[in-house]
Amino acid sequence: MPWIILAFLVLIIQIMAIIITEYRRPDKAVAWVMILFMIPLVGFLPYYFIAKRYTRHRILSQNEYNQRESFKAELIYRCNQRIPANGLAETVSKNKKLQHIVQNKLNLPITACNETTVYAESEHAFKAMLESIAAAKHHIHLEFYIIRDDELGIQFKQLLIQKAQEGVYVRLLYDGIGSRRLGKAFIKQLREAGVEIGCFSPPLVTFFQRQLNYRNHRKIVVVDGKIGFLGGLNIGDEYLGKDPSFGYWRDTHFSMKGDAVLWIQYTFLTDWYVVKGQLLTDSSYVPVQESHGRDIVQIVKSGPDETILELIFTLIISAKQRIYIETPYFIPDPGVLLAIKTAVMGGVDVRIIIPGTPDKKLVYNCSLSYVQELLQAGVRFYCYQQGFLHAKVLISDDLACSGSTNMDLRSFCDQFELNAVFFDRKIVNRLTDDFFTDLSVSNEIVQSEFEKRPPQQKMKEVFARLLSPFF
């Protein structure tokens, strides 16, 4: 009996510790308390190792801080000199809430004089990346969540080795959790050729630092500081549609020339310092941009210390006519969920495309748990049928936001992401055309039919939704 009383007291203490720590996120608190009841006492161990609030891996010294801020201020000044006389795009200027967010809450400035290329076909995106890397003269910077030792990964590896042997500075960052299957031999060959390599979240180190939940989900390529790539693609054969379990892989990726590249580069250099402790502020990494394009773009870096949630929320509540969303995972924050409901009830055309074939069944069931209540509110849902949908796009009237961020809690709050906000109709129209192309190969979810799904499926969705703060 004393052991039972002691165990009960320990359980109570654990529950109180979770409630006190997570009171700002009641959804997460409820999920962890549920885990405790399912796995009494032992359930606190994963909470201890996973749920610790993010703390910076490396703190800048005062001198380093001053140097980085001076470097950033110089880049901002250069970008501001190239903003057109009429300032922000008309769409933003009309919306005071959105204008306040993009000018004051986001940590990187709006840039002009950009040339943007949109890739809806992975093969074209990888071809452009490899051609740019092959043409590099001074440096190549790469940062990916997943790198595989497969046909595509070997192609990148061999080219990076070749460029390093030619005397080009080559730096590669990868996430230790996302690339946990990447063999030591792959890394060793790159290092021996002169490629500098950093691992953002080494699994063992991250485990003991209790930071396993915080992953670098960015996908970056910068060549000579003059061309930058970002979007949803990692390096692996499945992203070329070579995995038979997924088939055709539908993604959205971008290449850019112009001042936006400075901030893709800045993001890489910031991450490089976090991992390697090297503060790179030489002007050769941020050359004067030669592009005189007309695209106005804002690069948005986000993470557990600088959330993108405010921007997503504002883009949704600001819409007057349309909201189009494509995402492989749809697990909205309560505020975003309410914003979507409010928008559609106000007459906004809200359409959301999710995969028809899931890659993670538990996460997919969680996504489906939101479908019925949003269908009832008037949102139109579609399931993509041509393969696997991995594109991450939000179109709000005449603005678009796309990059590495999924429409889920992990991307909003726990992962390091990189996105771009597009203010020009040319790019927004292209993304809209791609959306409707995807719509043409998707099946709409009909509410009356969806409500007939089996009870066991509904239970799976309920269970998955309770666990959603962990996804």
Side-chain angles (χ1 to χ4, degrees):
M1 180 65 78
W3 287 106
I4 295 176
I5 296 173
L6 179 60
F8 181 74
L9 288 174
V10 171
L11 181 62
I12 294 299
I13 291 171
Q14 291 177 345
I15 291 172
M16 292 302 298
I18 290 173
I19 292 173
I20 291 170
T21 305
E22 304 293 345
Y23 73 94
R24 290 187 181 90
R25 288 283 304 277
D27 54 337
K28 184 169 283 193
V30 169
W32 279 113
V33 170
M34 187 184 76
I35 292 293
L36 276 184
F37 279 111
M38 292 172 60
I39 317 172
L41 304 181
V42 179
F44 192 77
L45 287 176
Y47 174 78
Y48 178 81
F49 283 105
I50 294 175
K52 179 186 175 183
R53 293 194 178 279
Y54 174 74
T55 53
R56 290 183 180 274
H57 292 39
R58 194 183 300 273
I59 305 298
L60 289 161
S61 69
Q62 187 61 49
N63 183 54
E64 289 172 330
Y65 176 81
N66 292 339
Q67 187 177 349
R68 191 184 72 176
E69 290 304 298
S70 176
F71 178 69
K72 183 178 180 180
E74 171 61 24
L75 294 185
I76 292 174
Y77 175 79
R78 281 168 51 183
C79 290
N80 287 342
Q81 299 308 300
R82 302 229 292 174
I83 292 288
N86 61 352
L88 289 175
E90 183 181 354
T91 305
V92 182
S93 300
K94 286 180 178 179
N95 190 313
K96 298 302 180 185
K97 289 181 181 178
L98 186 58
Q99 185 175 355
H100 178 74
I101 288 290
V102 300
Q103 288 185 311
N104 302 311
K105 294 295 184 180
L106 301 181
N107 49 29
L108 303 180
I110 293 174
T111 64
C113 303
N114 297 292
E115 300 173 59
T116 306
T117 303
V118 182
Y119 299 101
E121 297 289 341
S122 304
E123 183 179 353
H124 298 161
F126 285 123
K127 181 182 178 182
M129 287 185 228
L130 290 166
E131 287 178 349
S132 296
I133 290 170
K137 302 298 183 185
H138 181 264
H139 68 269
I140 302 163
H141 292 161
L142 295 92
E143 180 173 349
F144 284 93
Y145 177 61
I146 295 173
I147 301 175
R148 304 235 189 259
D149 188 1
D150 55 19
E151 187 177 341
L152 181 63
I154 291 170
Q155 191 175 357
F156 269 88
K157 179 184 70 175
Q158 291 174 341
L159 184 55
L160 294 179
I161 288 173
Q162 175 189 327
K163 299 307 292 186
Q165 292 172 341
E166 291 175 6
V168 175
Y169 294 106
V170 182
R171 297 182 178 91
L172 171 65
L173 281 176
Y174 66 95
D175 185 85
I177 306 297
S179 301
R180 60 191 177 277
R181 297 178 184 173
L182 189 62
K184 293 181 180 179
F186 187 98
I187 300 299
K188 183 181 178 182
Q189 291 174 23
L190 287 166
R191 281 205 172 104
E192 288 177 346
V195 177
E196 295 184 70
I197 298 177
C199 179
F200 191 86
S201 303
L204 191 60
V205 174
T206 307
F207 175 78
F208 286 108
Q209 290 178 341
R210 299 163 56 201
Q211 302 274 356
L212 276 175
N213 216 30
Y214 305 108
R215 302 166 193 175
N216 193 318
H217 196 239
R218 293 167 180 154
K219 301 97 163 87
I220 293 173
V221 176
V222 180
V223 177
D224 291 340
K226 295 181 179 180
I227 183 168
F229 294 83
L230 61 85
L233 291 170
N234 290 295
I235 297 177
D237 284 349
E238 68 266 38
Y239 296 90
L240 283 168
K242 295 182 178 181
D243 187 332
S245 60
F246 295 121
Y248 176 74
W249 190 279
R250 168 69 179 93
D251 222 316
T252 298
H253 216 77
F254 304 90
S255 69
M256 295 181 190
K257 296 179 181 178
D259 287 359
V261 179
L262 299 174
W263 299 106
I264 302 174
Q265 179 81 293
Y266 177 83
T267 303
F268 176 88
L269 296 178
T270 301
D271 289 345
W272 187 257
Y273 175 81
V274 168
V275 175
K276 303 290 287 186
Q278 299 173 1
L279 189 62
L280 304 176
T281 56
D282 190 87
S283 60
S284 59
Y285 297 113
V286 285
V288 174
Q289 300 300 303
E290 299 169 357
S291 170
H292 294 279
R294 300 172 63 88
D295 301 341
I296 298 178
V297 180
Q298 185 169 25
I299 301 299
V300 182
K301 62 190 286 283
S302 64
D305 54 348
E306 46 188 5
T307 180
I308 195 174
L309 192 54
E310 289 180 346
L311 173 63
I312 299 295
F313 180 83
T314 306
L315 285 171
I316 293 171
I317 64 170
S318 299
K320 298 292 188 292
Q321 297 176 327
R322 63 182 184 179
I323 297 170
Y324 300 152
I325 296 171
E326 289 187 274
T327 179
Y329 316 116
F330 183 73
I331 306 173
D333 170 271
V336 170
L337 184 65
L338 180 59
I340 291 173
K341 286 182 179 180
T342 304
V344 75
M345 289 177 181
V348 177
D349 177 18
V350 182
R351 307 189 196 196
I352 300 172
I353 307 178
I354 59 176
T357 302
D359 63 335
K360 301 171 184 175
K361 289 187 178 179
L362 186 63
V363 179
Y364 188 68
N365 284 329
C366 184
S367 296
L368 293 180
S369 74
Y370 291 92
V371 170
Q372 183 164 330
E373 63 180 289
L374 288 176
L375 284 173
Q376 291 170 344
V379 176
R380 299 178 69 180
F381 274 91
Y382 302 81
C383 287
Y384 186 77
Q385 299 298 314
Q386 192 167 308
F388 183 67
L389 177 73
H390 195 248
K392 309 128 187 331
V393 179
L394 168 61
I395 298 168
S396 171
D397 289 344
D398 296 322
L399 295 177
C401 179
S402 184
S404 66
T405 300
N406 298 307
M407 190 67 65
D408 66 4
L409 297 171
R410 176 175 292 280
S411 278
F412 291 157
C413 302
D414 294 337
Q415 292 187 157
F416 296 87
E417 307 282 3
L418 190 68
N419 291 265
V421 179
F422 299 99
F423 298 90
D424 285 286
R425 287 184 180 271
K426 181 185 72 173
I427 304 301
V428 177
N429 288 344
R430 165 61 197 273
L431 292 172
T432 302
D433 289 343
D434 288 347
F435 180 88
F436 278 96
T437 298
D438 294 338
L439 210 65
S440 69
V441 290
S442 301
N443 292 336
E444 184 167 6
I445 300 176
V446 180
Q447 182 179 342
S448 59
E449 293 298 319
F450 186 74
E451 290 174 349
K452 295 176 183 178
R453 63 200 189 284
Q456 58 267 32
Q457 173 60 31
K458 295 179 181 180
M459 288 303 299
K460 289 179 183 178
E461 293 169 14
V462 170
F463 179 74
R465 185 153 171 175
L466 288 171
L467 296 179
S468 63
F470 307 139
F471 300 156

